[in-house]
Amino acid sequence: MANRLIYVLNGPNINLLGTREPHIYGHTTLADINAMLVERARDLNLTVDCRQSNHEGVIVDWMHEARAAGAHAVIINAGALTHTSIAILDAAKGIEIPVIEVHLSNPHTREAFRHKSYIGMAAKGTIAGFGAQSYLLALQAAANL
């Protein structure tokens, strides 16, 4: 059986992981997370395509691309766009493949504006609050779909 493709999309400022507010996001870098995902994906007979952009439209384009590529699922940490982007919400609804929302921290324990997730309105599920482990939990969930 061919490996199932999982897109892992990261939004604004996720490229700063490891140095940005480590008391909230930890010391693990995005490169570390991507390496962990690639390794775990092999064990799960999955292929991951990990990407990061600080631009909303690029993330929307990648979601469309995931559909066109026949991806099995999209795992997304949209960063601050989680709380503001109706465009990403519409893309999540429009691609008709499962979307799993990921957060390193637990948004519900933070500022009130972080409590609303537009992506969560279309996501199959949300995994939050487990640091870098949140991504691995999301990958396992994608494998189980």
Side-chain angles (χ1 to χ4, degrees), residues 35 46 55 77 92:
L46 301 171
H55 304 282
N77 178 349

Side-chain angles (χ1 to χ4, degrees), residues 7-46:
Y7 273 56
V8 180
L9 306 180
N10 291 282
N13 302 308
I14 305 299
N15 57 306
L16 300 177
L17 287 180
T19 59
R20 175 184 173 229
E21 300 179 278
H23 61 286
I24 295 173
Y25 302 111
H27 293 283
T28 306
T29 68
L30 183 57
D32 295 336
I33 291 170
N34 291 344
M36 290 187 301
L37 287 167
V38 167
E39 183 178 326
R40 183 70 181 121
R42 279 190 210 114
D43 296 338
L44 296 169
N45 199 32
L46 301 171

Side-chain angles (χ1 to χ4, degrees), residues 10-98:
N10 291 282
N13 302 308
I14 305 299
N15 57 306
L16 300 177
L17 287 180
T19 59
R20 175 184 173 229
E21 300 179 278
H23 61 286
I24 295 173
Y25 302 111
H27 293 283
T28 306
T29 68
L30 183 57
D32 295 336
I33 291 170
N34 291 344
M36 290 187 301
L37 287 167
V38 167
E39 183 178 326
R40 183 70 181 121
R42 279 190 210 114
D43 296 338
L44 296 169
N45 199 32
L46 301 171
T47 299
V48 290
D49 185 338
C50 301
R51 303 176 183 196
Q52 186 276 328
S53 178
N54 292 318
H55 304 282
E56 179 180 37
V58 171
I59 295 168
V60 170
D61 288 343
W62 287 341
M63 293 180 80
H64 295 179
E65 181 184 315
R67 178 185 182 188
H72 181 70
V74 171
I75 295 170
I76 185 167
N77 178 349
L81 292 173
T82 299
H83 319 292
T84 64
S85 181
I86 295 169
I88 295 176
L89 165 64
D90 287 347
K93 288 180 176 179
I95 62 174
E96 299 175 338
I97 59 176

Side-chain angles (χ1 to χ4, degrees), residues 109-126:
T109 64
R110 299 185 60 201
E111 305 92 338
F113 71 87
R114 295 186 194 274
H115 297 179
K116 181 173 186 166
S117 168
Y118 284 100
I119 295 164
M121 294 176 184
K124 175 80 173 167
T126 300

Side-chain angles (χ1 to χ4, degrees), residues 1-6 41 44-48 70-72 142-145:
M1 177 172 74
N3 285 4
R4 293 172 293 170
L5 176 62
I6 309 296
L44 296 169
N45 199 32
L46 301 171
T47 299
V48 290
H72 181 70
N144 292 341
L145 293 174

